[in-house]
Amino acid sequence: MIRQRTFWMVALSILITAIVVMLAMSLGRSDKTVSRRLAHRFTIDDPQFRREMSVMLGPTITHGNQVTALQNGAEIFPAMLAAIRSARHSVTFETYIYWSGTIGKEFSEALAERARAGVPVQVTIDWAGSVRLDQALVDEMTAAGVEVKLYRPLRWYNLGRFNNRTHRKLLIVDGRIAFTGGVGIADHWSGRAEDPEHWRDSHFRVEGPAVAQFQAAFNDNWMKITGRVLRGPAYFPELLPAGTMQAQLFIASPAGGSESMHLMYLMAVASAARTIDLAASYFVPDELLIEALIEARRRGVRVRVVLPGPHIDSETVRIASKGEWGPLLREGVEIHVYQPTMMHTKMLIVDTAFVSVGSTNFDLRSFRLNDEASLNVFDVGFAAQMTIVFELDLRDATPFSYAMWLARPLRERIAETLILPIKSHL
């Protein structure tokens, strides 16, 4: 009875999503899309890889950065709040999810306190991601002097862009400290991923020249909303080296460079020579990415993927994702499903030398519909550290075999077929 109810709930969800997609009139694809597989011509440690990452994705790879990994809300939120409270010149903050609750209140109070102290504070929140944000919190911030802007609120004149959301997670303080990763501002990101009520996620603190790219990324949508450009040393101070890591922060959006994220993943997978480790909270790859992962396996690359297990916030995504696992499993891609709670981490590690983190999911929504931001780090030590984190998550995940995929129930196969028309919008 419970399974039948779940099936009909999924079917209803699919129908509603399809209606929204059609109303949004966003079924078209970008004029600039990658349609052919990239050949394996050089490896991650070849200077050509970094050269092409710079020219293809836009921002140059900067030197002299320090990137610090933070795990789960117990580490992430205190670090972000401490940075906000230390602000002396500016705070810029863009996020998809911002909900009321204990964490939402703490952030609102910290932002408001800095604004009352005379620090310019600009905040961009996606309209769809703010549906659980009480207006009272927004009013408190604006009364204190915080500039709060909602990204693409529902209006008759922007129905064609309703499905294009900002999914970026960017916090920049004084133009010198930046954060990005997977967390939104909501209570289920708090804690230590200790139970299904507290999600597993990672976020990253950055210092050094790459922080200017974070500020430019925030400016991208701020200009779309307000028509204003944030300038001056409060936002773009001189940045001296803060470490030894090479890094770049690049963005993508349907309005410009929508294929950048897709291209980045394809380039990284095509250049892998030894290992690919992928943690993906929403994994609905297109045919090109499936082919790229299979081709990597055929040239001897070990591919390990950690995905959400029984705890996921979208049953529709879970079904669409599992429908794509078969060809990968058959070729020897290792898929592991995370058990303790919702796994919301987004991380790619290639050959223990290159790491990509940020807001981007391994799906076509992130590649073609959302505004996204990803941080690429070219550093062997950092990659080794992130591999340890990845393998700790592997301990809490269960391997999923090709035989298990073949034995999935008929109702799941039917649901996978029903989902196909809207797969790229999940």
Side-chain angles (χ1 to χ4, degrees):
M1 190 67 174
I2 293 175
R3 290 179 176 177
Q4 288 181 346
R5 188 182 305 122
T6 300
F7 173 82
W8 287 113
M9 288 177 65
V10 171
L12 180 61
S13 174
I14 294 168
L15 178 61
I16 293 172
T17 304
I19 292 172
V20 170
V21 168
M22 286 187 290
L23 286 174
M25 297 179 292
S26 55
L27 285 169
R29 296 178 62 180
S30 169
D31 289 337
K32 185 182 74 173
T33 59
V34 183
S35 60
R36 295 175 182 266
R37 181 175 58 83
L38 302 186
H40 175 69
R41 294 183 176 174
F42 42 80
T43 61
I44 292 289
D45 54 6
D46 190 315
Q48 186 67 24
F49 176 73
R50 301 186 189 194
R51 189 176 301 120
E52 292 191 4
M53 278 289 193
S54 284
V55 299
M56 294 284 195
L57 303 183
T60 187
I61 297 171
T62 63
H63 296 249
N65 300 287
Q66 178 60 42
V67 182
T68 303
L70 303 166
Q71 305 304 324
N72 301 316
E75 292 184 4
I76 296 165
F77 290 138
M80 294 176 71
L81 288 165
I84 292 171
R85 291 164 181 153
S86 73
R88 295 294 178 267
H89 305 290
S90 65
V91 177
T92 50
F93 184 35
E94 181 171 347
T95 188
Y96 175 64
I97 293 290
Y98 197 131
W99 293 350
S100 295
T102 302
I103 295 300
K105 181 70 171 174
E106 284 190 62
F107 271 81
S108 295
E109 289 176 349
L111 294 165
E113 188 278 327
R114 285 295 79 199
R116 283 193 294 270
V119 176
V121 180
Q122 284 89 22
V123 176
T124 300
I125 307 170
D126 186 80
W127 175 81
S130 69
V131 292
R132 299 187 191 179
L133 176 61
D134 292 340
Q135 185 61 39
L137 281 185
V138 177
D139 292 342
E140 288 174 16
M141 286 191 284
T142 55
V146 179
E147 288 188 84
V148 181
K149 304 296 182 182
L150 295 183
Y151 187 75
R152 289 197 175 136
L154 182 60
R155 300 285 189 270
W156 67 266
Y157 50 81
N158 67 2
L159 277 178
R161 292 186 174 183
F162 174 78
N163 213 18
N164 305 137
R165 313 310 316 171
T166 180
H167 195 244
R168 297 171 186 167
K169 283 89 173 175
L170 302 168
L171 171 64
I172 307 97
V173 175
D174 291 341
R176 297 183 179 277
I177 301 170
F179 293 82
T180 193
V183 302
I185 307 305
D187 287 346
H188 55 247
W189 270 285
S190 62
R192 301 182 182 277
E194 64 268 27
D195 56 48
E197 304 304 315
H198 300 86
W199 289 8
R200 167 77 186 99
D201 215 334
S202 300
H203 225 65
F204 301 85
R205 185 183 190 273
V206 182
E207 293 179 274
V211 174
Q213 296 177 347
F214 280 73
Q215 196 71 280
F218 177 86
N219 242 330
D220 178 62
N221 277 341
W222 189 255
M223 286 188 287
K224 292 177 190 175
I225 299 169
T226 67
R228 291 163 39 214
V229 180
L230 302 176
R231 300 174 59 211
Y235 299 95
F236 293 98
E238 180 182 3
L239 293 171
L240 300 176
T244 59
M245 299 181 188
Q246 298 180 41
Q248 66 178 160
L249 187 284
F250 72 102
I251 60 175
S253 71
S258 65
E259 196 69 2
S260 297
M261 292 298 173
H262 194 208
L263 180 59
M264 185 276 292
Y265 276 103
L266 289 168
M267 291 170 66
V269 171
S271 299
R274 298 181 303 278
T275 59
I276 296 172
D277 290 332
L278 174 68
S281 52
Y282 305 98
F283 179 80
V284 190
D286 69 338
E287 290 182 8
L288 273 182
L289 281 165
I290 292 173
E291 289 175 4
L293 290 170
I294 289 173
E295 179 60 27
R297 277 295 304 134
R298 289 176 177 172
R299 63 176 183 268
V301 177
R302 184 194 67 193
V303 182
R304 300 185 295 183
V305 182
V306 176
L307 305 175
H311 306 287
I312 186 169
D313 64 336
S314 174
E315 183 70 9
T316 309
V317 170
R318 185 190 69 80
I319 292 172
S321 176
K322 187 179 286 189
E324 305 291 356
W325 297 359
L328 297 170
L329 291 164
R330 188 174 58 240
E331 294 290 339
V333 172
E334 302 172 35
I335 294 181
H336 304 257
V337 291
Y338 191 76
Q339 299 298 312
T341 184
M342 169 65 181
M343 194 214 68
H344 201 259
T345 308
K346 312 159 198 307
M347 180 165 63
L348 173 69
I349 311 166
V350 179
D351 290 346
T352 323
F354 167 79
V355 181
S356 185
V357 296
S359 64
T360 308
N361 293 311
F362 206 81
D363 61 16
L364 287 177
R365 166 166 279 282
S366 278
F367 298 151
R368 292 182 182 147
L369 292 177
N370 286 342
D371 292 1
E372 302 282 7
S374 282
L375 173 68
N376 290 343
V377 183
F378 305 79
D379 187 86
V380 172
F382 183 74
Q385 179 189 352
M386 291 303 96
T387 300
I388 292 172
V389 171
F390 180 87
E391 291 180 342
L392 286 173
D393 285 338
L394 270 183
R395 295 182 185 180
D396 290 323
T398 301
F400 195 94
S401 69
Y402 184 53
M404 293 167 68
W405 185 80
L406 289 174
R408 70 199 189 282
L410 178 62
R411 66 179 179 277
E412 286 193 8
R413 297 169 185 257
I414 294 172
E416 290 164 12
T417 302
L418 292 173
I419 286 169
L420 281 175
I422 60 168
K423 188 177 71 171
S424 64
H425 294 262
L426 297 177

